[in-house]
């Protein structure tokens, strides 16, 4: 089994010393990489800037990138060779329209930044997903969670979508624990209890491999 996994945030440069980013730590994605490797799968982990060491397993190849564009290029290279795609990265939806060559100096009382849309890695790769490939996305919503997650599943051609709960203490960015619900294309919702990200990763990998086997065996 070959797995492509994206993880962590992306950093979008503004000038040589500044960037736009987000609070993703990569913990969930790295835990998934370890959990897939523990089943004997070969993993290409495409990681944005995180403080975590690369997973120790020799089955995991870690490719470090910074921007959404770099993450897309690395993912596009690995995607045709992978059986399962897991998009756990918190990709910046927009980047600064221009990157200043020199540090931007302080000037007026306000500063307006122009942003342009980044490539949607999951949606773009989803368009070339082959029948025997299986894609898993993540969603983080604050309103109408299930409806938005269901919409993302279809829009990005996912087979499963993992919905992060923001309402529960101990879930999401920066925490060592997480609570998620998984939605499938049939509209079924599976709820996972609050648990350590490492434990949850094993449970999610078992579910993904099980669904993959059921559909493509
Ligand atoms: N994703 C991606 N590339 C992007 C944005 C998102 O690959 N440029 C992936 C994420 O890794 C995740 C899924 O798409 O698996 C959903 O990400 P999310 O940010 O929730 O979705 P968006 O399409 O950005 O929708 P919105 O921000 O409008 O909720």
């Amino acid at each position: 089994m070959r797995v492509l996994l994206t993880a962590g945030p992306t950093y979008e440069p503004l000038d040589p010393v500044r960037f736009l980013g987000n609070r993703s730590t990569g913990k969930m994605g790295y835990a998934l990489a370890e959990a897939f490797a523990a089943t004997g799968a070969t993993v290409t982990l495409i990681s944005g800037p995180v403080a975590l060491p690369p997973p120790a397993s020799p089955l995991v190849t870690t490719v470090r990138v910074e921007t959404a564009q770099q993450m897309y290029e690395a993912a596009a290279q690995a995607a045709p060779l992978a059986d399962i795609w897991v998009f756990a990265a918190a990709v910046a939806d927009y980047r600064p329209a221009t990157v200043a060559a020199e540090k931007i100096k302080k000037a007026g009382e306000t500063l307006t930044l122009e942003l342009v849309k980044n490539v949607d890695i999951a949606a773009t790769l989803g368009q070339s997903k082959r029948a025997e490939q299986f894609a898993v996305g993540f969603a983080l919503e604050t309103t109408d969670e299930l409806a938005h997650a269901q919409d993302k599943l279809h829009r990005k051609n996912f087979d499963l979508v993992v919905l992060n709960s923001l309402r529960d203490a101990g879930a999401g960015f920066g925490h060592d624990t997480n609570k998620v619900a998984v939605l499938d294309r049939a509209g079924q919702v599976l709820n996972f209890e609050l648990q350590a990200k490492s434990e949850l990763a094993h449970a999610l990998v078992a579910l993904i491999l099980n669904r993959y086997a059921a559909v493509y065996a």
Side-chain angles (χ1 to χ4, degrees), residues 5-209:
L5 233 161
T6 68
T10 64
Y11 282 5
E12 308 299 329
L14 189 54
D15 70 14
V17 295
R18 304 187 180 95
F19 61 86
L20 298 183
N22 62 67
R23 296 186 192 279
S24 168
T25 59
K27 280 180 190 162
M28 195 65 236
Y30 275 56
L32 285 165
E34 305 264 15
F36 271 113
T39 70
T42 305
V43 182
T44 302
L45 172 63
I46 300 168
S47 172
V50 298
L52 302 169
S57 168
L59 292 175
V60 182
T61 302
T62 306
V63 180
R64 295 223 186 230
V65 297
E66 213 165 276
T67 65
Q69 184 59 32
Q70 291 165 355
M71 186 174 277
Y72 170 69
E73 284 162 22
Q77 219 179 345
L81 307 170
D83 305 295
I84 296 175
W85 302 343
V86 181
F87 300 102
V91 184
D93 289 326
Y94 294 87
R95 67 176 183 278
T98 55
V99 182
E102 305 297 339
K103 185 183 167 203
I104 299 169
K105 298 298 286 178
K106 177 161 66 232
E109 287 306 309
T110 62
L111 173 67
T112 304
L113 295 177
E114 190 187 356
L115 305 179
V116 293
K117 209 177 226 169
N118 269 332
V119 58
D120 190 316
I121 301 166
T124 306
L125 295 181
Q127 288 171 9
S128 61
K129 181 162 72 95
R130 300 191 305 270
E132 75 282 8
Q133 292 180 308
F134 193 89
V136 183
F138 275 71
L140 198 154
E141 311 290 347
T142 53
T143 55
D144 298 328
E145 288 110 323
L146 288 177
H148 283 304
Q150 201 54 258
D151 169 64
K152 235 160 248 184
L153 182 113
H154 290 284
R155 201 157 34 86
K156 304 202 187 196
N157 202 11
F158 293 145
D159 296 280
L160 293 175
V161 63
V162 182
L163 176 60
N164 276 295
S165 168
L166 263 187
R167 295 180 188 213
D168 298 274
F173 283 168
H175 293 284
D176 287 324
T177 52
N178 205 6
K179 184 176 174 184
V180 303
V182 178
L183 282 69
D184 67 14
R185 294 187 81 89
Q188 198 188 355
V189 181
L190 293 158
N191 287 297
F192 289 76
E193 285 309 306
L194 183 75
Q195 55 189 307
K197 284 182 175 172
S198 53
E199 271 176 61
L200 177 62
H202 285 286
L204 288 175
V205 164
L207 173 70
I208 293 165
L209 291 177

